[in-house]
Amino acid sequence: MSEDLCRECIRLGHDARRAGRLDDALAHYHAALAAEPDGAEANSVYGLMLLHLGRAGEDEATLRRAVEISPSHAAFRMNLAQLFAQQGRLDEAVHIVSGVAADQPQFWWVWDRLGELMVRLQRFADAAMHYGRATKLRPDDPAILFKWARSSFDAGRLDEAERILKDAIRLAP
């Protein structure tokens, strides 16, 4: 019963969020958490909504709890990493995202996020390597190619950046 109520509250929260009613979404996610306090998804969506609303300090406990409940769930771990990145705790974010990449290397978006974090740390050669991995998994995405080209350029690899940029231009002139 509480599991069904939790799922319904999460669904209502998602609907409200998509409609731009963020306070309503937060209320639905809070209701989901009340219905199932040990539900990983309820903890994660509630914490993520707090994060999006800028309610610092309230979000970390629920995001951490989601990971404690379901430590292998990539999205829950990535949500916690997003919090750390927003707080400027980049090394902690990199640690989490690197762990997700090691556990589930098939997700292009993990490599893309790792590249973004490396750019923020000004580790451009590492960023380029991660964007290259993301591109192998999602070869027709010009946005990743542009990021790969830029990080290669910033790493001083001008010929590589030019080649990648030409590939990106072919996909999105």
Side-chain angles (χ1 to χ4, degrees):
M1 175 69 169
S2 65
E3 189 176 314
D4 292 339
L5 176 60
C6 179
R7 270 198 302 271
E8 178 63 12
C9 290
I10 289 172
R11 186 192 64 75
L12 291 170
H14 291 341
D15 291 346
R17 181 182 43 78
R18 282 190 290 272
R21 299 186 331 270
L22 302 184
D23 289 330
D24 289 345
L26 182 64
H28 288 299
Y29 294 147
H30 188 263
L33 187 58
E36 196 173 353
D38 290 327
E41 185 177 10
N43 275 278
S44 187
V45 295
Y46 181 65
L48 192 59
M49 194 73 239
L50 288 169
L51 177 63
H52 287 305
L53 290 172
R55 306 234 330 237
E58 295 178 64
D59 45 17
E60 186 170 343
T62 55
L63 292 172
R64 280 189 183 279
R65 182 71 181 128
V67 172
E68 288 171 11
I69 295 165
S70 187
S72 63
H73 196 286
F76 300 160
R77 293 161 65 192
M78 294 296 283
N79 291 345
L80 183 59
Q82 181 179 344
L83 167 70
F84 291 155
Q86 280 188 239
Q87 292 176 337
R89 297 161 61 184
L90 299 178
D91 289 334
E92 290 173 89
V94 166
H95 177 75
I96 291 171
V97 178
S98 294
V100 174
D103 293 344
Q104 299 176 334
Q106 73 276 18
F107 295 132
W108 68 269
W109 45 269
V110 174
W111 297 107
D112 183 62
R113 185 66 178 134
L114 202 47
E116 291 170 358
L117 291 167
M118 290 298 137
V119 166
R120 287 186 60 190
L121 289 167
Q122 297 185 356
R123 292 171 48 188
F124 302 115
D126 290 336
M129 178 183 65
H130 297 309
Y131 287 133
R133 298 246 354 226
T135 298
K136 285 183 177 136
L137 296 168
R138 194 173 171 101
D140 295 330
D141 188 335
I144 299 171
L145 285 167
F146 282 118
K147 290 188 269 188
W148 186 15
R150 177 58 195 246
S151 59
S152 294
F153 177 84
D154 289 340
R157 299 177 185 158
L158 305 182
D159 291 339
E160 179 180 299
E162 185 177 10
R163 179 190 54 76
I164 296 165
L165 192 55
K166 285 178 183 176
D167 290 341
I169 289 170
R170 277 194 286 277
L171 291 174

